Amino acid sequence: MEMKHLKSKIFEFIIIFIPSFLTRLSNKNIIKLTYIAERVLVREDPIVQKAIKEIRNYFTTEHPSIELVRRILKELNPTCKRKLIKNFFVNAIFRGVTKNKEYSEKYGFSPPWFLVLSPTMRCNLNCVGCSTRRYTKQDDLSIELIDRILREAKEMGIYFIVTQGGEMFVYEEMFKVYKKHSDVYFQVYTNGTLIDKKIAGILAKLGNVAPMISIEGFEETTDRRRGKGVFQKAMQAMDNLRETGCFFGASVTQTRFNSEEITSDEFFKMLLDKGCFVIWFFQFLPIGKDPDIELMATPQQRHKLYLKICEIRQKLPIFIGDFWNDGPFVGGCIAAGRRYVHINNKGDVEPCAFVHFAVDNIKEKSLREALSSPFMRLLRQFQPFTDNLLTPCMIIDQPEILRRVVQNTGARPTHEGADLFLNGKIADGLNEYAKGIQEITRPIWEKIKDKAVKWPT
C-alpha cells in the first residue's frame, strides 16, 4: 500500500474513532493528539496543518469552541455524528483536499472546495423583498441533472454541497439525492416551516443533511417579513431537530430594520438555548424583480455586526460564520470557483449565489468546462479584489470589479433585475455604500491584516 493511502487510512481511523472518547479526555491529552496528527499525518498539507494548529490553540486557551465540540459529540444521534465526522471531516476536508490537488495537477486549476446548488426556486412563503412565488415545478432542475452535477463534483473532490432555494423542502425528490449520495455532506437553507416531526425523523436517519433555518430576529420582526406564525414554526422545527439529534443551525440576513435585534445578547442566547450549533449571517442585497436598496443594512450597522460577532465568538459555544465580514479568514472573495461556485435552478453556472450573471449553463457544459470559462478565470485573476479583506464582495464592496468583468466577458443576466447592478439608481447606491464601508473598516483592517489568511493564487 502506498504511503499516502496508508496515511489516509490511519487518518480516517483516528478521526472516526477518537471523537467517541473526547468527552472523557482532558484538554491536555487532546492537545497531545493534535501534535500526533500534525506530525504523522498532514505534514504535506499546509491548510490542514494550519487548521490543526488553530484547534490546538483553542484547547490551550480554553476557547468556547471546545465546548461546542463536546456539545456536538454529546447531543447528536449516532448516525448524524458519524456522517458529520465521515462525510464532512474525512471526505470533504481530508479526502477532498487530496483529490483537489490531483485534479489541479491534471487540469491546471484548483476546483472549488464546495458547491452551492439551487435546485428549485419554489417556496411556500412570500417574504418581503423576495420573488420566489413566481416559480413552478417546471422551473426546477431535474433529479437526473442534479445527480450528474454531484457525480462531477465528487470527481473534483467536492463532498460538501449547500442547497438552497426557494424552499428546499418543497422539492421532496431531493430526499432521494441525499440518500443516494450518502458520502456527501449537505447543508440546506430552509425557512423551517415544513420540518415537522416526520421530516426531522427522516433527516435523523439520513444523517448527512444539516438544515440552516432562516429567521429575521425575534417573533415580530420575523413574522413582519416572512408572514404571521412563521417564527413559531421555525422554533418548532428547531425543537423537532434537537429531539431527534440532528445537526442544525440558523441563517440570519441583516437588514436596516433588524440590526438591533440580531446584535443583541438575547438573540444569540435564544439560538444557543434552542440547540443551534451554527449561525450564518448574510447581508440583504437589492436583487430580484423590484430591488429595494433601502432594506440594506447601513455600513455602520454591518460594522456593528462584525464587532458583535467578534465578541460572541469569545463567549459562546456556537459556530458563527459571516459571509461578508469574515473575508480575512478566507483570503477575501471565495466565489468563481476559488473556493465555491453556484448553479441556479435554470442550470446557469454563476460565480456566487448573489451574483446573477453567467456565460455557461450546466445543461450544455460540464462543471469543469464552466469553471474554466473566461468569465470565471477573469474573476479569479482579479481576486481578492482589494487589499482590505473586510470589504471582499464584488457586489456591494467592490462593485466596479463585477461591472468590469461582465463588460469584458459578455456575461448575461440570469435573474430579472440583475442588470440594475451595472448602472442607474441601484448602482449609484451601491457605489455610495462601498465608499462608506471602506472608510469604516480601513482602520480595523490595518490592525488585523497581518493575521489574515493569504490563499495561494
Side-chain angles (χ1 to χ4, degrees), residues 229-275:
V230 170
F231 177 83
Q232 287 301 329
K233 289 181 179 179
M235 294 297 101
Q236 184 60 54
M238 292 183 184
D239 291 340
N240 295 339
L241 292 166
R242 186 175 189 174
E243 288 174 8
T244 56
C246 288
F247 187 92
F248 69 95
S251 170
V252 185
T253 298
Q254 185 182 27
T255 72
R256 190 163 304 190
F257 304 107
N258 71 354
S259 291
E260 287 302 313
E261 285 186 28
I262 67 172
T263 54
S264 67
D265 289 338
E266 294 78 10
F267 182 70
F268 287 95
K269 185 178 184 303
M270 176 189 73
L271 294 177
L272 181 61
D273 290 345
K274 274 293 177 181

Side-chain angles (χ1 to χ4, degrees), residues 299-313:
Q300 292 79 8
Q301 289 173 326
R302 173 173 159 189
H303 180 58
K304 181 178 180 179
L305 177 62
Y306 166 79
L307 295 176
K308 188 63 179 181
I309 289 176
C310 290
E311 173 193 332
I312 293 296
R313 281 171 171 159

Side-chain angles (χ1 to χ4, degrees), residues 8-25 33 73 81-82 85-86 89-90:
S8 177
K9 292 298 182 183
I10 295 173
F11 181 84
E12 287 189 31
F13 175 83
I14 289 176
I15 203 168
I16 291 173
F17 290 103
I18 287 296
S20 62
F21 301 102
L22 283 181
T23 54
R24 300 189 293 273
L25 288 177
L33 286 175
L73 296 174
K81 189 188 307 181
R82 184 176 67 253
I85 294 170
K86 182 68 183 290
F89 289 101
V90 175

Side-chain angles (χ1 to χ4, degrees), residues 441-456:
T441 58
R442 176 59 66 176
I444 292 183
W445 171 247
E446 293 301 325
K447 295 179 181 179
I448 69 170
K449 63 182 181 181
D450 292 337
K451 299 179 181 179
V453 169
K454 297 177 177 62
W455 288 109

Side-chain angles (χ1 to χ4, degrees), residues 216 225 252-260 262-263 281-286 292-306 322 324-325 396-397 429-430 432-434 436-437 440:
E216 306 296 325
R225 185 173 180 218
V252 185
T253 298
Q254 185 182 27
T255 72
R256 190 163 304 190
F257 304 107
N258 71 354
S259 291
E260 287 302 313
I262 67 172
T263 54
F281 282 94
F282 299 90
Q283 293 294 310
F284 174 83
L285 299 187
D292 185 359
I293 203 166
E294 296 301 317
L295 279 175
M296 286 183 67
T298 66
Q300 292 79 8
Q301 289 173 326
R302 173 173 159 189
H303 180 58
K304 181 178 180 179
L305 177 62
Y306 166 79
D322 188 323
W324 271 260
N325 292 325
I396 61 176
D397 298 335
L430 293 179
E432 190 66 25
Y433 176 94
I437 197 66
I440 289 175

Side-chain angles (χ1 to χ4, degrees), residues 367-387:
L367 185 56
R368 176 174 61 83
E369 290 172 321
L371 288 167
S372 301
S373 73
F375 180 44
M376 298 292 185
R377 286 185 178 275
L378 187 56
L379 282 171
R380 293 198 294 268
Q381 180 181 323
F382 280 130
Q383 285 168 333
F385 303 145
T386 174
D387 66 330

